[in-house]
Amino acid sequence: MNDMATHGAPGATTKVGNYRWRVCAMLLAATTINYVDRQVLGVLAPFLQTEIGWNEIEYGYIVTAFQAAYAIGLLCTGAIIDRFGTRIGYAIAISVWSVAAMAHSLAGSVVGFAAARFALGLGEAGNFPAAIKTVAEWFPRRERALAVGVFNAGSNVGAVLAPLLVPLIAATWGWQAAFLFTGVLSATWLAGWLLTYRTPDQQPKLTKAELDYIRSDPPEASVKVPWLQLLRHRQAWAFVAAKFITDPVWWLFLFWLGKFLASEYKLSLSTIGLPMIVVYLMADVGSIAGGWLAGRFMRLGWDVNRARKGAMFACALCVAPIVLVTQVDNLWIAVALIGLAMAGHQGWSANVFTLPSDMFPRHAVASVVGIGGFAGAVGGMLMSVYTGAQLEQTGSYARIFLIAGSAYLLALVVVHLLVPKLQPAALERAPG
């Protein structure tokens, strides 16, 4: 991208360069690898279950190990990245998840897979805090939303690539090769990051014009708001509740979709990829459409409260038909229902992630998002344990998808009761 930025007199423009977008491309690659790594188990799960011999409850524990580590990581990685900086902090995170991804190839038991998943969750928790901090270092305020949108697209790219590549690699070289391949991808990215990444002030390839453009915003206040202070406000609990209730559904799709399709529609390793790719492509569309819908409502004259909740309601309705999927005999009708639900979730998330900035000052947004992310991971852990137990006892997904289909409408009701007008939180000023 070549950018024209205004400097000096009105109408004057200067070509500032595009090196910052190369940095954003590296963040996109890292996020893509992040999601490929976490998806490998979900794609291979129905086939590893036969090879390793775990039952549904044990698989639930394996998934829970990842989510527990991810929750812990969300609490810790921010401090590590702030302490060591983005170059070293990001390197630490991806080193941990690279080694953990390859360690899966050595696992031959439930305990082995759970240990590898726990280590993977700890490392992968650092991706988004590190990437968001990198964007803050490299982009002026007016470009940050776009930059975050670009690198965050890697989550869906990775979710599409995994079912495309993993079955092919596993069928050709064995399931261990699939885990080794993704670990090698992470290690390759790490080498490129350490060799090329520097902060803007230390990057010799950055032009002065682009550095001035990056630094064109007024200095931002850096104020840390204690979590206990944030949790005194209903606005924070509204976001926490939304994440706790609905994030488990996304975790369910990530780790049980392959098992559901394989068991219900007798798919093999060579045929499971296409349905999963279609589902995640539909999720991509939902992510864009959900954000567009709220903006469209605002352009029609709706206030933020009505527009945000209106879009969330539309997305919740898209998820609701998932309750019917266990009654469907045709694979592609089931794929359509699942894809619609995942599109609804992504559209829902696009709006839910905007709630903190709707209700909190900028310096508190990251903290609120961190609390909500932790709550979502905890909710995912509970859902994983329940799903494993339910499948082991009944062999049926009916109750599981009933919970998934009703979760978003329930969450919207809770959000509305807590913040009926999305009124801003009145944070007390820190001493001094």
Side-chain angles (χ1 to χ4, degrees), residues 9 22 36 64 70 93 101 110 112 121 220 235 239 256 270 330 333 354 394:
R22 299 185 199 180
V36 171
T64 301
Y70 198 79
V110 172
E220 295 184 0
Q235 290 86 346
F239 180 71
W256 263 276
S270 60
N330 182 277
I333 294 177
T354 312
T394 69

Side-chain angles (χ1 to χ4, degrees), residues 23-39 66 70 90 93-94 97 123-135 147-162 182 185-186 189-190 193 250 254 284 346:
V23 175
C24 190
M26 291 201 71
L27 303 181
L28 169 63
T31 304
T32 299
I33 294 169
N34 183 283
Y35 263 76
V36 171
D37 282 353
R38 75 174 65 180
Q39 276 288 87
F66 175 90
Y70 198 79
Y90 217 150
I94 203 165
W97 97 57
E124 291 203 344
N127 182 73
F128 282 93
I132 291 171
K133 186 175 178 67
T134 302
V135 166
V148 171
V150 170
F151 87 70
N152 189 47
S155 60
N156 291 314
V157 174
V160 170
L161 286 179
T182 57
L185 282 180
S186 302
W189 183 93
L190 173 61
W193 176 260
W250 182 250
L254 284 180
D284 279 342
Q346 290 290 68

Side-chain angles (χ1 to χ4, degrees), residues 110-408:
V110 172
V111 173
F113 272 98
R117 295 308 283 181
F118 189 88
L120 185 69
L122 281 179
E124 291 203 344
N127 182 73
F128 282 93
I132 291 171
K133 186 175 178 67
T134 302
V135 166
E137 290 177 347
W138 273 89
F139 288 85
R141 199 174 295 151
R142 56 186 170 276
E143 286 185 343
R144 288 178 191 170
L146 175 59
V148 171
V150 170
F151 87 70
N152 189 47
S155 60
N156 291 314
V157 174
V160 170
L161 286 179
L164 183 65
L165 297 176
V166 170
L168 178 62
I169 295 170
T172 305
W173 294 291
W175 64 265
Q176 294 91 342
F179 289 107
L180 290 173
F181 172 75
T182 57
V184 170
L185 282 180
S186 302
T188 302
W189 183 93
L190 173 61
W193 176 260
L194 289 175
L195 286 172
T196 64
Y197 182 80
R198 300 292 185 276
T199 59
D201 292 330
Q202 299 173 335
Q203 179 51 257
K205 296 182 180 180
L206 191 64
T207 66
K208 183 179 184 304
E210 188 169 5
L211 179 60
D212 290 342
Y213 179 63
I214 292 169
R215 297 285 182 257
S216 59
D217 290 327
E220 295 184 0
S222 179
V223 180
K224 184 171 180 61
V225 182
W227 279 27
L228 289 178
Q229 181 179 335
L230 291 172
L231 291 175
R232 296 172 187 166
H233 299 274
R234 292 177 299 157
Q235 290 86 346
W237 284 106
F239 180 71
V240 168
K243 296 287 284 180
F244 179 80
I245 296 170
T246 61
D247 273 16
V249 180
W250 182 250
W251 291 110
L252 171 70
F253 289 137
L254 284 180
F255 295 122
W256 263 276
L257 177 58
K259 287 172 61 63
F260 172 76
L261 293 176
S263 64
E264 298 297 316
Y265 300 99
K266 313 305 178 188
L267 299 182
S268 67
L269 189 59
S270 60
T271 59
I272 199 170
L274 181 59
M276 293 185 72
I277 290 169
V278 170
V279 162
Y280 283 107
L281 287 175
M282 292 178 69
D284 279 342
V285 174
S287 180
I288 297 169
W292 172 87
L293 186 60
R296 176 60 178 167
F297 286 156
M298 292 180 196
R299 287 191 293 274
L300 291 175
W302 294 19
D303 62 23
V304 172
N305 179 58
R306 186 183 177 197
R308 190 77 62 217
K309 291 176 182 174
M312 291 167 66
F313 179 66
C315 293
L317 292 180
C318 289
V319 183
I322 196 69
V323 300
L324 303 174
V325 74
T326 55
Q327 310 301 316
V328 172
D329 294 326
N330 182 277
L331 168 64
W332 291 105
I333 294 177
V335 167
L337 289 172
I338 296 168
L340 180 64
M342 294 181 71
H345 172 88
Q346 290 290 68
W348 167 275
S349 291
N351 285 280
V352 166
F353 269 120
T354 312
L355 290 178
S357 59
D358 289 337
M359 300 183 292
F360 287 90
R362 186 180 293 110
H363 65 263
V365 167
S367 295
V368 176
V369 171
I371 298 170
F374 174 80
V378 171
M381 291 165 55
L382 298 176
M383 185 66 168
S384 296
V385 172
Y386 172 78
T387 299
Q390 184 68 22
L391 292 177
E392 186 67 21
Q393 292 171 7
T394 69
S396 171
Y397 285 85
R399 291 184 181 177
I400 297 166
F401 284 122
L402 178 62
I403 293 172
S406 57
Y408 296 79

